[in-house]
C-alpha cells in the first residue's frame, strides 16, 4: 500500500460556493405545474427540482392527457416514476401509510447523489435520473444506469429532453419497421421542438458539464465523479492510497474469501485505509472518506455495509450534505433489487 495519500489540486472552491447559484440554472420559463404542487414535491423529497423536470411533465401531458406517466411507454419503453408520481397524485391514493421517499424508485446501486425520475427495461433495470453534487443544488446532469449490469452512471446531458433525444436517436438506429420509425420520428420532432422553444441544450456534454469535470476530485467506481469543496490552500481532498483497479481487487478478495478467517485477513488493507481516512478527517480532507465510502457502496456487497455506515454518513455530514447522509443510511438499512415503488401498497 502506498501510504497515507496526498492532497490533490482541483475541486470546487469552498470559499466561493453559493448553493443558490451552483448547478444548472432554471431555463425556459415557468411550467404549468402549480406552485403548491411544486412545494409539496420539494417538501416530500427535500430536493430542489429543475424546470426541465416540470416541462417534461407538461410535454407528456400533451402526449397522453389521461396518463402522462405512461406517455413514453409504447414508444421508448419508459415510465415516469419517482417524483413524477407526486405530480400524478399517486401519493394521495397509496395504501402505504409511511412511504419513504428517499427509497422511492431508488435502485440497488443508486448513490445518494442520484434521483431516479424515469424507469425503463426491467431486465437490466435501466433508469434515468438527476445527479446532484450537493442536496441544495440543482442537478449537475442527467445520468443513466443499468443496475443489473453494475454501478456505472452514464452522463446523458443536463436536462431530460436531451436524455430522451439521445435515446430516441439510439432507438431509431436499432429498428427497421417503417411504422415504428415514423412514430419515433414524429415523437422526436415534437420533443426537439419543445426543447428548442424552451432553450434546452440537446448536447450530451454541455459546457457546464465540462466545467464540472475540471472540478471533479475523483471519478469513483460509478464514473460520475465527486466534486469535493477544496479551499485556497488545497485542503479538502486527498487521494486514496489505492487505485480504482487495486481497490476492486481488494474488494474481490474479501467477497470471494473461502472462509471467515480468510475474509478478516483480506479486510486488512481496508482497515488501514480507514485509519488514513481518520487522519484525513482530522486535517479537514473530508473527500478521502467520501471516496472510499462511495466506492465500497458501489461495489455492492453486504460485507461492506458496516464500513459504508461508518464512513459515508460521517463524510456527508462533514461536507454539510446532511440529506445525503440520511438517504444513504435509509438505503443501506433496506437495500434491495426489486419492489422499489414505495407507493405500490
Amino acid at each position: 500500500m502506498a501510504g497515507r495519500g496526498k492532497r490533490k489540486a482541483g475541486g470546487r472552491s469552498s470559499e466561493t460556493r453559493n448553493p443558490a447559484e451552483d448547478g444548472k440554472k432554471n431555463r425556459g420559463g415557468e411550467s404549468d405545474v402549480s406552485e403548491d404542487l411544486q412545494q409539496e414535491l420539494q417538501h416530500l423529497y427535500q430536493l430542489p427540482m429543475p424546470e426541465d423536470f416540470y416541462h417534461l411533465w407538461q410535454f407528456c401531458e400533451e402526449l397522453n392527457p389521461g396518463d402522462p406517466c405512461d406517455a413514453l411507454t409504447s414508444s421508448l419503453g419508459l415510465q415516469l416514476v419517482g417524483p413524477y408520481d407526486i405530480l400524478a397524485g399517486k401519493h394521495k391514493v397509496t395504501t402505504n401509510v409511511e412511504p419513504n421517499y428517499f427509497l422511492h424508485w431508488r435502485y440497488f446501486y443508486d448513490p445518494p447523489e442520484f434521483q431516479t425520475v424515469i424507469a425503463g427495461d426491467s431486465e437490466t433495470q435501466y433508469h434515468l435520473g438527476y445527479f446532484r453534487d450537493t442536496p441544495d443544488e440543482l442537478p449537475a446532469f442527467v445520468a443513466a444506469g443499468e443496475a443489473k449490469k453494475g454501478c456505472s452512471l452514464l452522463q446523458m446531458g443536463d436536462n431530460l429532453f436531451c436524455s430522451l433525444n439521445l435515446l430516441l436517436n439510439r432507438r431509431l438506429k436499432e429498428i427497421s419497421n417503417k411504422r415504428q420509425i415514423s412514430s419515433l420520428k414524429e415523437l422526436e420532432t415534437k420533443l426537439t421542438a419543445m426543447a428548442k422553444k424552451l432553450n434546452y441544450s440537446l448536447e450530451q456534454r454541455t459546457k457546464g458539464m465540462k466545467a464540472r469535470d475540471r472540478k471533479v476530485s475523483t471519478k469513483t467506481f460509478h464514473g460520475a465523479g465527486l466534486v469535493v469543496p477544496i479551499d485556497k490552500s488545497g485542503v479538502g481532498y486527498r487521494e486514496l492510497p489505492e487505485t480504482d483497479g487495486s481497490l476492486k481487487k481488494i474488494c474481490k478478495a474479501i467477497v470471494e474469501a473461502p472462509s471467515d478467517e480468510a475474509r478478516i485477513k483480506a479486510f486488512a488493507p481496508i482497515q488501514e485505509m480507514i485509519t488514513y481516512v481518520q487522519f484525513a478527517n482530522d486535517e479537514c480532507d473530508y473527500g478521502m472518506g467520501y471516496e472510499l465510502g462511495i466506492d465500497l457502496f458501489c461495489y455492492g456487497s453486504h460485507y461492506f455495509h458496516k464500513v459504508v455506515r461508518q464512513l459515508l454518513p460521517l463524510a456527508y455530514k462533514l461536507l454539510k450534505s446532511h440529506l445525503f447522509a440520511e438517504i444513504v443510511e435509509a438505503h443501506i438499512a433496506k437495500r434491495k433489487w426489486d419492489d422499489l415503488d414505495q407507493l405500490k401498497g
Side-chain angles (χ1 to χ4, degrees), residues 157-169:
D158 72 354
N159 66 88
L160 293 171
F161 288 88
C162 175
S163 306
L164 293 176
N165 189 56
L166 291 169
L167 292 176
L168 271 168
N169 290 334

Side-chain angles (χ1 to χ4, degrees), residues 111 113 131 151-154 219-226 294-295 298:
E113 294 82 358
F131 190 97
C151 65
S152 295
L153 295 173
L154 175 67
K219 282 292 186 181
T220 73
F221 287 0
H222 60 51
L226 303 180
I294 283 289
D295 282 344
C298 286

Side-chain angles (χ1 to χ4, degrees), residues 45-63:
Y45 275 89
Q46 302 176 48
L47 292 166
M49 302 301 292
E51 281 297 327
D52 68 277
F53 171 81
Y54 298 109
H55 283 138
L56 183 66
W57 177 256
Q58 188 176 324
F59 177 75
C60 289
E61 277 187 316
E62 294 173 3
L63 293 178

Side-chain angles (χ1 to χ4, degrees), residues 49-50 52-53 113-115 117 129-132 139 141-142 160:
M49 302 301 292
D52 68 277
F53 171 81
E113 294 82 358
F114 188 87
Q115 179 190 27
V117 296
Y130 291 118
F131 190 97
R132 294 171 172 82
F141 54 85
V142 178
L160 293 171

